[in-house]
Amino acid sequence: MVEETGAGGDPRLLGRRMGAAWLAWTCGRCAFCLSGRENLCDAAAFTGYTRDGGFASHMLAEAAYLYPLPQDGAAGKAECAASAGPRQPGGAHPPAQ
């Protein structure tokens, strides 16, 4: 559940259930990022590996790497894991082209 947004964050996300992708952040400037292969970025950060998260009760996440979950509470751990499938960022807020 989104409890706060940072500077420039979309206030419409407050109170929404969101899933965080395995790919937590990329530089957006390297050859891999610019060619749509962000998962190969040498500077990438990963949820539950280089960044706290995954099954944590609270975490910080980039909006571009969040994915909406059902708001009725039906999403379980398996559905959260499935939301992490896409390798390209752009869940809640697609990166600028």
Side-chain angles (χ1 to χ4, degrees):
M1 172 114 27
V2 177
E3 293 182 0
E4 295 181 42
T5 62
D10 186 345
R12 295 175 296 177
L13 294 178
L14 291 171
R16 292 195 48 92
R17 290 170 45 87
M18 305 293 282
W22 158 248
L23 187 59
W25 179 87
T26 57
C27 75
R29 297 181 308 269
C30 69
F32 292 122
C33 288
L34 295 174
S35 65
R37 298 178 293 158
E38 294 85 358
N39 59 313
L40 300 175
C41 176
D42 286 331
F46 299 94
T47 302
Y49 180 63
T50 59
R51 285 203 173 169
D52 291 340
F55 294 109
S57 64
H58 288 80
M59 63 185 288
L60 297 174
E62 304 283 335
Y65 300 89
L66 295 177
Y67 298 88
L69 296 176
Q71 299 304 303
D72 62 4
K77 290 180 181 178
E79 194 164 10
C80 288
S83 75
R87 69 172 178 85
Q88 192 163 331
H93 298 282
Q97 296 296 325

